């Protein structure tokens, strides 16, 4: 019984080896991202949330957690230092928005420009509702004459002839 | 039957609306992909005073503050020896300085001795050389790439931010007129 099992393992050696390599690479990269800063667990949790929500000003559409740009590293340090100084999340975000603009925040505050984004879906929904009510009201207006009603009745009973 | 048809005709036309709207949106999106200047962020520092600082001077290492900034309109140029476009920009800065315009240099996240060597070998266009070794003042200025140049008036208010190296044509066509307008305000005052 043990021999066939052994050959199966041998046949699959390349797959097993590559899985081990992939797992190893993943494990080390996770280790690396954690080792950059050393914070107590509660601050670490907020740190990870913040760097995921802050956008790298240098690169297009990537947060400062994932960016390798030097400025992203600097901003991660800013976040870390301010967390250690006891600043709140919103204070840290306000500090960076003050310097880099609303662009830096993936969760931007409500301004006239962002209000448009919030309003568009609502406006579209209202338009759709109005359109459907309009179409619906048109349909109801079609009324059959007595002659047509009689014909419809005949068709219902006898089927088309 | 006739009245029924008359009601439906405008609705038929309306059926094309979604397609027209869709094509219109596609055009808008593709156009904005092509033409929007994505690499430049609008700076919230425009029309705000230069952030306060106390930074070492490059050669003397004495501490400089906002009070040491020029009293006339000036340029604040953020640069580094590791920044390749800065080398391209350097002769333009030399020309601007030769016109008698005050430029303050901010050596950004650089090795001081390399910065001094650079200025000694290819020329020093700066009236004042500040050092921001760890990029902390850079964050206050909203710097995210070098070189970057700020146009600052005599009240020490930031009036314009230029991102990337200044070419001589950009200086002549775009930045010099803005800078002249800052100087003109002082002359009238």
């Amino acid at each position: 019984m043990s021999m066939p099992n052994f050959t199966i393992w041998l046949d699959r050696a390349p797959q097993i080896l590559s899985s081990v390599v992939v797992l190893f690479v993943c494990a080390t990269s996770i280790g690396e991202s954690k080792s950059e800063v050393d914070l107590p667990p509660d601050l670490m949790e907020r740190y990870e949330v913040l760097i995921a929500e802050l956008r790298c000003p240098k690169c297009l559409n990537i947060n400062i957690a994932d960016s390798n740009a030097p400025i992203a590293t600097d901003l991660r340090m800013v976040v870390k230092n301010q967390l250690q100084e006891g600043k709140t999340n919103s204070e840290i975000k306000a500090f960076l928005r003050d310097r880099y603009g609303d662009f830096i925040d993936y969760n931007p505050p409500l301004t006239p420009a962002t209000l448009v984004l919030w309003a568009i879906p609502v406006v579209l929904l209202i338009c759709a509702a109005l359109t459907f009510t309009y179409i619906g009201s048109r349909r109801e207006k079609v009324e059959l004459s007595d002659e047509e009603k009689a014909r419809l009745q005949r068709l219902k009973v006898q089927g088309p002839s | 039957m006739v009245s029924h048809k008359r009601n439906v005709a405008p609705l038929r036309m309306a059926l094309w609306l979604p397609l027209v709207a869709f094509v219109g949106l596609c055009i808008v999106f593709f156009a904005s992909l092509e033409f929007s200047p994505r690499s430049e962020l609008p700076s919230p520092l425009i029309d705000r005073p230069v952030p306060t600082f106390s930074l070492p001077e490059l050669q003397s290492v004495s501490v400089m503050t906002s009070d040491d900034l020029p009293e006339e309109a000036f340029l604040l140029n953020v640069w580094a020896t590791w920044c390749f476009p800065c080398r391209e920009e350097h002769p333009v800065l030399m020309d601007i300085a030769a016109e008698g315009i005050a430029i303050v240099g901010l050596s950004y996240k650089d090795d001081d001795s390399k910065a001094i060597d650079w200025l000694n070998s290819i020329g020093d266009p700066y009236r004042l050389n500040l050092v921001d070794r760890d990029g902390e003042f850079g964050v206050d200025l909203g710097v995210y790439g070098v070189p970057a140049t700020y146009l600052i008036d005599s009240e020490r208010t930031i009036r314009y931010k230029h991102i990337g190296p200044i070419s001589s044509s950009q200086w002549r066509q775009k930045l010099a007129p803005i800078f002249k307008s800052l100087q003109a305000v002082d002359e009238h005052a």
Side-chain angles (χ1 to χ4, degrees):
Chain A
M1 277 304 283
S2 64
M3 275 309 282
N5 271 344
F6 181 66
T7 47
I8 286 169
W9 281 103
L10 256 188
D11 285 346
R12 295 193 179 159
Q15 286 99 313
I16 292 165
L17 255 179
S18 53
S19 322
V20 169
V21 168
V22 168
L23 274 176
F24 181 74
V25 169
C26 292
T28 49
S29 62
I30 290 167
E32 246 172 348
S33 71
K34 297 267 182 195
S35 67
E36 189 186 73
V37 295
D38 188 25
L39 287 167
D42 55 327
L43 290 187
M44 197 64 194
E45 208 173 292
R46 285 172 55 204
Y47 172 79
E48 308 239 308
V49 169
L50 276 169
I51 63 170
E53 261 186 34
L54 289 166
R55 192 168 171 184
C56 171
K58 180 72 181 173
C59 6
L60 199 58
N61 291 333
I62 189 166
N63 58 22
I64 63 169
D66 293 336
S67 172
N68 294 321
I71 187 66
T73 316
D74 289 356
L75 294 182
R76 285 197 296 267
M77 286 305 111
V78 169
V79 171
K80 183 201 142 201
N81 292 337
Q82 299 209 354
L83 280 171
Q84 283 173 329
E85 287 163 20
K87 297 256 180 72
T88 66
N89 287 15
S90 55
E91 277 171 344
I92 295 172
K93 278 194 169 181
F95 175 90
L96 290 170
R97 266 209 308 274
D98 239 26
R99 286 154 179 77
Y100 291 94
D102 288 344
F103 177 94
I104 195 106
D105 194 348
Y106 264 127
N107 189 5
L110 203 61
T111 63
T114 51
L115 191 66
V116 174
L117 291 177
W118 287 100
I120 284 174
V122 179
V123 170
L124 284 180
L125 265 180
I126 293 171
C127 286
L130 288 177
T131 311
F132 283 118
T133 350
Y134 177 73
I135 293 171
S137 68
R138 284 242 155 174
R139 281 223 178 114
E140 279 161 33
K141 273 183 198 155
V142 179
E143 279 193 21
L144 299 178
S145 63
D146 290 345
E147 192 193 330
E148 283 170 331
K149 278 178 188 162
R151 201 173 143 226
L152 179 63
Q153 200 52 44
R154 271 204 308 282
L155 282 170
K156 276 182 178 170
V157 176
Q158 299 170 358
S161 52
Chain B
M1 283 307 281
V2 175
S3 68
H4 187 89
K5 259 192 180 164
R6 209 196 300 133
N7 284 342
V8 165
L11 272 179
R12 277 272 152 77
M13 294 291 286
L15 285 178
W16 290 96
L17 266 178
L19 184 66
V20 173
F22 175 72
V23 172
L25 272 181
C26 285
I27 292 170
V28 169
F29 289 154
F30 272 104
S32 51
L33 270 181
E34 279 300 312
F35 299 117
S36 79
R38 284 166 301 164
S39 56
E40 291 188 17
L41 293 190
S43 173
L45 274 95
I46 304 301
D47 295 335
R48 295 216 316 236
V50 177
T52 53
F53 62 84
S54 82
L55 295 169
E57 203 273 335
L58 181 63
Q59 318 247 2
S60 67
V61 204
S62 53
V63 173
M64 296 285 158
T65 65
S66 315
D67 295 334
D68 298 302
L69 290 173
E71 297 194 340
E72 73 236 55
F74 65 99
L75 305 184
L76 174 61
N77 178 246
V78 185
W79 68 286
T81 58
W82 47 260
C83 145
F84 193 70
C86 295
R87 195 166 282 274
E88 193 184 304
E89 184 186 52
H90 182 267
V92 181
L93 294 176
M94 292 300 282
D95 289 344
I96 296 170
E99 287 176 41
I101 292 169
I103 310 176
V104 173
L106 181 69
S107 167
Y108 179 74
K109 294 178 74 175
D110 206 352
D111 189 282
D112 288 357
S113 57
K114 281 188 190 161
I116 292 170
D117 282 349
W118 160 297
L119 296 178
N120 286 341
S121 61
I122 59 173
D124 182 356
Y126 305 113
R127 199 168 290 184
L128 174 65
N129 274 295
L130 301 171
V131 180
D132 183 22
R133 223 160 278 140
D134 46 14
E136 213 173 297
F137 187 52
V139 170
D140 285 340
L141 282 171
V143 170
Y144 59 87
V146 242
T149 304
Y150 297 82
L151 275 58
I152 298 163
D153 69 14
S154 59
E155 306 283 309
R156 286 158 187 172
T157 304
I158 297 173
R159 293 298 180 189
Y160 191 81
K161 181 185 182 186
H162 178 85
I163 292 155
I166 302 172
S167 68
S168 55
S169 67
Q170 276 172 330
W171 171 252
R172 259 183 289 115
Q173 287 162 15
K174 195 170 177 192
L175 299 177
I178 299 172
F179 192 74
K180 294 262 156 60
S181 73
L182 300 184
Q183 288 177 316
V185 172
D186 295 336
E187 278 161 24
H188 288 295

